Amino acid sequence: MRPFDYVRATAPDDAALVSGQIIAGGTNLLDLMKIQVMAPETLVDITRIDGLSDITTEGDGLRIGALVTNTALAQDARVRAGWPLLSRAILAGASAQIRNKATTGGNLLQRTRCPYFYDTSQPCNKRRPGDGCAAKGGEGRMLALFGTSEHCLAAHPSDMAVALTALRAEVEIRTPHGDLRRIPVQQLYHAPSDRPDRDTVLEAGDLITAVILPAPLVGSRQGYRKVRDRASYAFALVSVAGSIQMEGDMISRAHLAYGSVAPHPWTDGAVAKMLEGQKASDALFARVADALVPDRAPHPDTEYKRRLLRRTFIATLRQLTGLADTSGTDIARTQS
Amino acid sequence: MKTTLTVNGTQHEVGHDPRRTLLDTLRDDLGLTGTKKGCDHGQCGACTVLLNGERVNSCLCLTAMHDGDEITTIEGIGAPERLSALQRAFVERDGFQCGYCTPGQIMSATAMLKEIAEGSPSYVSDDLDAPKLSDGEMAERMSGNLCRCSAYPLIREAIAMAAEVKE
């Protein structure tokens, strides 16, 4: 690691937050600092700031402090009962050791795992603006299908953020002036455009203070289906998060999000429109999958993701709408 | 800078560069070399210790961030003349070949058995509210600990054996 000054913040208005690099769980940041992909001059430890480590009820929803660990969030009894999709998605990611350290805010801010971002001998626009993109002519089976640009093809690796997007969660951000604002999780992220080095809309000194979970769809079936190279402790190739509400055999509400296919959790409003008000059927799901999946992949190595996304989408919908057996580990019905 | 840690019940004040990881503090400053450095990137689990009772990768902890915290290492859960149930089971079931990953496996399994007893779910738990120890649960819950000799079946046998002793 490059040398840095270590500062411990004790309040959310600590001046150091404006100029320093924030660290909480550190499971991704320290990894990147060791290989000098990130080399902050000042590291600001926010883990001693009071009031950011609790999960509290807010109306029919939950307010999750930014420092709540992935483990604590996944095993919270309220989350298990009302938002099992979130528990499943968190437990699908990382290892128990990492989840014990990783925080809610930090998970949202984790960087891509594109190998060229990690390899400092290769050009990467996300690491250094204007550097070029080695992934374009390189190996790319982990890259994105949607939302890419000529400057960056990288995918966002989080499982938790995909679940939060499907659950319509919001991120609470504290500005350096002390104002609190809330934005949908998806709006936290920039599309890569011409500045892929800027992952999020956060400005210097902005602090994620909480994630707000609204009430779940009443009686919804929720599921998180993750496809990866090995059974555990691997990033998703494709994932689908869904919360589906049915009236008889008709789909009344369909909240869906897709992981590891875009620079941020991906959603497609047209999919919900095509599903809602329709009777669940294989013919319907095949038609909607045609609309969801792009005609071609931005990199030859991700061609396979088109078929994988299609199949994962259909399999998830079949389970969430009762066309397929729901036994197993991916699907749970909310108790509300 | 200076940081105070309680390691295996004994308080230590260590002076260090801010870059020091907990793993390097344990091994190089305190001489507790039972905790191993494998990948140094949180991928292999050889450096697993208990931090305030929970398992973490000590290679991904900055010592500076843990002032006042309690650490338990493999040296703290047993010694040759008084092995823990898990340590005995690993010896009896031959739960290793080269042994390099073993301290991390045992620390991780120590926490894992406690997590199951407390009802903490995993990705493969059919019921999020009532996880039960099984071979599949052990494989999932121990996935943060790699064994390049691939002694996994015997590691799981050892953990199952220790779990029975505890019950």
Coordinates of all heavy atoms in Angstrom, one line a residue, chain A residues 12-69:
Chain A
P12 N -21.0 12.8 11.5 CA -21.2 12.9 10.1 C -20.8 14.2 9.5 O -20.6 14.3 8.3 CB -22.7 12.6 9.9 CG -23.3 12.6 11.2 CD -22.2 12.5 12.3
D13 N -20.5 15.2 10.3 CA -20.1 16.5 9.8 C -18.6 16.7 9.9 O -18.1 17.8 9.7 CB -20.9 17.7 10.4 CG -20.6 17.7 11.9 OD1 -20.0 16.8 12.5 OD2 -21.2 18.6 12.6
D14 N -17.9 15.6 10.2 CA -16.4 15.7 10.3 C -15.8 16.3 9.0 O -16.1 15.8 7.9 CB -15.9 14.3 10.6 CG -14.5 14.4 11.2 OD1 -13.6 15.0 10.6 OD2 -14.3 13.8 12.3
A15 N -15.0 17.3 9.1 CA -14.4 17.9 7.9 C -13.6 17.0 7.1 O -13.5 17.1 5.8 CB -13.6 19.1 8.3
A16 N -13.0 16.0 7.7 CA -12.1 15.0 7.0 C -12.9 14.3 5.9 O -12.3 13.8 4.9 CB -11.5 14.1 7.9
L17 N -14.2 14.2 6.1 CA -15.0 13.4 5.1 C -15.0 14.1 3.7 O -15.2 13.4 2.7 CB -16.5 13.3 5.6 CG -16.7 12.4 6.8 CD1 -18.2 12.6 7.3 CD2 -16.5 11.0 6.5
V18 N -14.8 15.4 3.7 CA -14.8 16.1 2.4 C -13.6 15.8 1.5 O -13.6 15.7 0.3 CB -15.0 17.6 2.6 CG1 -15.0 18.4 1.3 CG2 -16.2 17.9 3.4
S19 N -12.4 15.7 2.2 CA -11.2 15.5 1.4 C -10.6 14.1 1.4 O -9.8 13.8 0.6 CB -10.1 16.5 2.0 OG -10.0 16.2 3.4
G20 N -11.1 13.3 2.3 CA -10.5 11.9 2.5 C -11.3 10.8 1.8 O -12.4 11.1 1.4
Q21 N -10.7 9.7 1.7 CA -11.4 8.5 1.2 C -12.0 7.8 2.4 O -11.3 7.4 3.4 CB -10.4 7.6 0.5 CG -10.9 6.2 0.3 CD -12.0 6.1 -0.8 OE1 -11.8 6.6 -1.9 NE2 -13.1 5.5 -0.4
I22 N -13.3 7.6 2.3 CA -14.0 7.0 3.4 C -13.7 5.5 3.5 O -13.7 4.8 2.4 CB -15.5 7.2 3.3 CG1 -15.8 8.7 3.6 CG2 -16.3 6.3 4.3 CD1 -17.3 9.1 3.3
I23 N -13.5 4.9 4.7 CA -13.4 3.5 4.8 C -14.4 3.0 5.9 O -14.5 3.7 6.9 CB -12.0 3.0 5.1 CG1 -11.9 1.5 5.1 CG2 -11.5 3.6 6.5 CD1 -10.5 0.9 5.1
A24 N -15.1 1.9 5.6 CA -16.0 1.3 6.7 C -15.5 -0.1 6.9 O -14.6 -0.4 7.6 CB -17.4 1.5 6.3
G25 N -16.2 -1.1 6.1 CA -15.8 -2.5 6.2 C -14.4 -2.7 5.6 O -13.6 -3.5 6.1
G26 N -14.1 -2.0 4.5 CA -12.8 -2.0 3.9 C -12.5 -3.3 3.1 O -11.4 -3.4 2.6
T27 N -13.5 -4.2 2.9 CA -13.2 -5.5 2.3 C -12.8 -5.3 0.8 O -12.1 -6.1 0.3 CB -14.3 -6.4 2.4 OG1 -15.5 -5.8 1.9 CG2 -14.6 -6.8 3.9
N28 N -13.4 -4.3 0.1 CA -13.0 -4.1 -1.2 C -11.9 -3.0 -1.3 O -10.9 -3.1 -2.1 CB -14.2 -3.6 -2.0 CG -14.0 -3.5 -3.5 OD1 -14.7 -2.7 -4.2 ND2 -13.1 -4.3 -4.1
L29 N -12.0 -1.9 -0.5 CA -11.0 -0.8 -0.6 C -9.6 -1.3 -0.3 O -8.7 -1.0 -1.0 CB -11.5 0.3 0.3 CG -10.6 1.5 0.4 CD1 -10.4 2.1 -1.0 CD2 -11.1 2.5 1.4
L30 N -9.5 -2.1 0.8 CA -8.1 -2.5 1.2 C -7.5 -3.4 0.2 O -6.3 -3.3 -0.1 CB -8.1 -3.2 2.6 CG -8.4 -2.2 3.8 CD1 -8.5 -3.0 5.1 CD2 -7.2 -1.2 3.9
D31 N -8.4 -4.2 -0.4 CA -7.9 -5.1 -1.5 C -7.4 -4.3 -2.6 O -6.3 -4.5 -3.1 CB -9.2 -5.9 -1.9 CG -8.8 -7.0 -2.9 OD1 -7.7 -7.5 -2.9 OD2 -9.7 -7.3 -3.7
L32 N -8.1 -3.2 -3.0 CA -7.6 -2.3 -4.1 C -6.4 -1.5 -3.7 O -5.6 -1.2 -4.6 CB -8.8 -1.4 -4.6 CG -9.9 -2.2 -5.2 CD1 -11.2 -1.3 -5.4 CD2 -9.5 -2.7 -6.6
M33 N -6.3 -1.1 -2.4 CA -5.2 -0.3 -2.0 C -3.9 -1.2 -2.0 O -2.8 -0.7 -2.3 CB -5.4 0.3 -0.6 CG -6.4 1.4 -0.6 SD -6.9 2.0 1.0 CE -5.4 2.5 1.7
K34 N -4.1 -2.5 -1.7 CA -2.9 -3.3 -1.7 C -2.2 -3.5 -3.0 O -1.0 -3.6 -3.2 CB -3.2 -4.7 -1.1 CG -3.5 -4.8 0.3 CD -3.8 -6.2 0.8 CE -4.1 -6.1 2.3 NZ -4.0 -7.5 2.9
I35 N -3.1 -3.4 -4.1 CA -2.5 -3.5 -5.4 C -2.4 -2.1 -6.1 O -2.1 -2.0 -7.3 CB -3.3 -4.5 -6.3 CG1 -4.8 -4.1 -6.4 CG2 -3.1 -5.9 -5.9 CD1 -5.6 -4.9 -7.4
Q36 N -2.6 -1.1 -5.3 CA -2.4 0.3 -5.7 C -3.3 0.7 -6.8 O -3.0 1.7 -7.6 CB -1.0 0.6 -6.0 CG -0.1 0.3 -4.7 CD 1.3 0.7 -4.9 OE1 1.7 1.3 -5.9 NE2 2.1 0.3 -3.9
V37 N -4.5 0.0 -7.0 CA -5.5 0.6 -7.9 C -6.1 1.8 -7.3 O -6.6 2.7 -7.9 CB -6.5 -0.5 -8.2 CG1 -7.8 0.0 -8.9 CG2 -5.9 -1.6 -9.0
M38 N -6.2 1.8 -5.9 CA -6.6 3.0 -5.2 C -5.5 3.3 -4.2 O -4.9 2.4 -3.6 CB -8.0 2.7 -4.5 CG -9.1 2.5 -5.5 SD -10.7 2.2 -4.7 CE -11.1 3.9 -4.2
A39 N -5.2 4.6 -4.2 CA -4.1 5.0 -3.3 C -4.4 6.4 -2.7 O -3.9 7.4 -3.0 CB -2.8 5.2 -4.2
P40 N -5.4 6.4 -1.7 CA -5.8 7.6 -1.1 C -4.7 8.2 -0.2 O -3.9 7.4 0.4 CB -7.0 7.2 -0.3 CG -6.8 5.7 0.0 CD -6.2 5.2 -1.2
E41 N -4.7 9.5 -0.1 CA -3.7 10.1 0.7 C -4.2 10.2 2.2 O -3.4 10.1 3.1 CB -3.4 11.6 0.3 CG -2.6 11.5 -1.0 CD -2.3 12.9 -1.6 OE1 -2.6 13.9 -0.9 OE2 -1.8 13.0 -2.7
T42 N -5.5 10.2 2.3 CA -6.1 10.2 3.7 C -7.2 9.2 3.7 O -8.1 9.2 2.8 CB -6.7 11.6 4.0 OG1 -5.6 12.6 3.9 CG2 -7.2 11.6 5.4
L43 N -7.2 8.4 4.7 CA -8.3 7.4 4.9 C -9.1 7.8 6.1 O -8.5 8.0 7.2 CB -7.6 6.0 5.2 CG -8.3 4.8 4.7 CD1 -8.8 4.8 3.3 CD2 -7.4 3.6 5.0
V44 N -10.4 8.0 5.9 CA -11.3 8.4 7.0 C -12.1 7.3 7.5 O -13.0 6.8 6.7 CB -12.2 9.6 6.5 CG1 -12.9 10.2 7.7 CG2 -11.3 10.7 5.8
D45 N -11.9 6.8 8.7 CA -12.6 5.7 9.3 C -13.9 6.2 9.8 O -13.9 7.0 10.8 CB -11.7 5.1 10.4 CG -12.4 4.0 11.2 OD1 -13.5 3.6 10.8 OD2 -11.7 3.5 12.1
I46 N -15.0 5.7 9.3 CA -16.4 6.2 9.7 C -17.0 5.2 10.7 O -18.2 5.4 11.1 CB -17.3 6.5 8.6 CG1 -17.6 5.3 7.7 CG2 -16.8 7.7 7.7 CD1 -18.8 5.4 6.8
T47 N -16.3 4.1 11.0 CA -17.0 3.1 11.8 C -17.3 3.5 13.2 O -18.1 2.8 13.9 CB -16.1 1.8 11.8 OG1 -14.9 2.1 12.4 CG2 -15.9 1.2 10.4
R48 N -16.7 4.6 13.7 CA -17.1 5.0 15.1 C -18.1 6.1 15.1 O -18.4 6.7 16.2 CB -15.8 5.5 15.8 CG -14.6 4.6 15.6 CD -14.2 3.9 16.9 NE -13.3 2.8 16.5 CZ -12.6 2.1 17.4 NH1 -12.8 2.4 18.7 NH2 -11.8 1.1 17.1
I49 N -18.7 6.4 14.0 CA -19.8 7.5 14.0 C -21.0 6.8 14.5 O -21.5 5.7 14.1 CB -20.0 8.0 12.5 CG1 -18.8 8.7 12.0 CG2 -21.3 8.9 12.5 CD1 -18.9 9.3 10.6
D50 N -21.6 7.4 15.5 CA -22.8 6.9 16.2 C -24.0 7.0 15.3 O -24.1 7.9 14.5 CB -23.1 7.6 17.5 CG -22.1 7.3 18.6 OD1 -21.5 6.1 18.5 OD2 -21.9 8.1 19.5
G51 N -25.0 6.0 15.5 CA -26.3 6.1 14.8 C -26.4 5.6 13.4 O -27.4 5.8 12.8
L52 N -25.3 5.0 12.9 CA -25.3 4.5 11.5 C -25.4 2.9 11.5 O -25.3 2.3 10.5 CB -24.1 4.9 10.8 CG -23.9 6.5 10.6 CD1 -22.7 6.7 9.7 CD2 -25.2 7.1 9.9
S53 N -25.5 2.3 12.7 CA -25.4 0.8 12.7 C -26.7 0.1 13.1 O -26.7 -1.0 13.5 CB -24.3 0.4 13.7 OG -23.1 1.0 13.4
D54 N -27.9 0.9 13.1 CA -29.1 0.3 13.5 C -30.1 0.0 12.4 O -30.1 0.8 11.4 CB -29.8 1.2 14.5 CG -28.9 1.4 15.7 OD1 -28.3 0.5 16.2 OD2 -28.8 2.6 16.2
I55 N -30.9 -1.0 12.5 CA -32.1 -1.2 11.6 C -33.3 -0.8 12.4 O -33.6 -1.4 13.5 CB -32.2 -2.7 11.2 CG1 -30.8 -3.1 10.5 CG2 -33.3 -2.8 10.2 CD1 -30.8 -4.6 10.2
T56 N -34.1 0.2 11.9 CA -35.3 0.6 12.7 C -36.5 0.6 11.7 O -36.3 0.7 10.5 CB -35.1 2.1 13.2 OG1 -34.6 2.9 12.2 CG2 -34.0 2.1 14.3
T57 N -37.7 0.5 12.3 CA -38.8 0.5 11.5 C -39.2 1.9 11.1 O -39.0 2.9 11.9 CB -40.1 -0.2 12.2 OG1 -40.2 0.5 13.4 CG2 -39.9 -1.6 12.4
E58 N -39.6 2.1 9.9 CA -40.0 3.4 9.4 C -41.3 3.2 8.6 O -41.3 2.7 7.5 CB -38.9 4.1 8.5 CG -39.2 5.5 8.2 CD -38.1 6.1 7.3 OE1 -37.1 6.5 7.9 OE2 -38.4 6.3 6.1
G59 N -42.4 3.6 9.2 CA -43.7 3.3 8.6 C -43.8 1.8 8.5 O -43.6 1.0 9.5
D60 N -44.2 1.3 7.3 CA -44.3 -0.2 7.1 C -43.0 -0.7 6.5 O -42.9 -1.9 6.1 CB -45.4 -0.5 6.1 CG -46.8 -0.2 6.7 OD1 -46.9 -0.3 7.9 OD2 -47.7 0.2 6.0
G61 N -42.0 0.2 6.5 CA -40.7 -0.3 5.9 C -39.6 -0.2 7.0 O -39.8 -0.2 8.2
L62 N -38.3 -0.3 6.5 CA -37.2 -0.3 7.4 C -36.2 0.8 7.0 O -36.0 1.1 5.8 CB -36.5 -1.7 7.3 CG -37.2 -2.9 7.9 CD1 -36.3 -4.1 7.7 CD2 -37.5 -2.7 9.4
R63 N -35.5 1.3 8.0 CA -34.4 2.2 7.8 C -33.1 1.5 8.2 O -33.0 1.1 9.4 CB -34.6 3.5 8.6 CG -33.5 4.5 8.4 CD -33.8 5.8 9.2 NE -32.9 6.9 8.7 CZ -31.6 7.0 9.1 NH1 -31.1 6.1 9.9 NH2 -30.9 8.0 8.6
I64 N -32.3 1.2 7.3 CA -31.1 0.4 7.5 C -29.9 1.3 7.5 O -29.5 2.0 6.5 CB -30.9 -0.6 6.4 CG1 -32.1 -1.5 6.2 CG2 -29.6 -1.5 6.6 CD1 -32.3 -2.1 4.8
G65 N -29.2 1.5 8.7 CA -28.0 2.3 8.8 C -26.9 1.9 7.9 O -26.8 0.7 7.6
A66 N -26.2 2.8 7.4 CA -25.2 2.5 6.4 C -24.1 1.6 6.9 O -23.4 0.9 6.1 CB -24.5 3.8 5.9
L67 N -23.9 1.6 8.2 CA -22.8 0.7 8.8 C -23.3 -0.7 9.2 O -22.6 -1.5 9.8 CB -22.2 1.4 10.0 CG -21.3 2.6 9.7 CD1 -20.7 3.3 10.9 CD2 -20.2 2.3 8.7
V68 N -24.6 -0.9 9.0 CA -25.1 -2.3 9.3 C -24.4 -3.3 8.5 O -24.3 -3.1 7.3 CB -26.7 -2.4 9.1 CG1 -27.2 -3.8 9.2 CG2 -27.4 -1.5 10.0
T69 N -23.9 -4.3 9.1 CA -23.1 -5.3 8.3 C -24.0 -6.2 7.4 O -25.2 -6.3 7.7 CB -22.3 -6.3 9.2 OG1 -23.2 -7.1 10.0 CG2 -21.3 -5.5 10.1

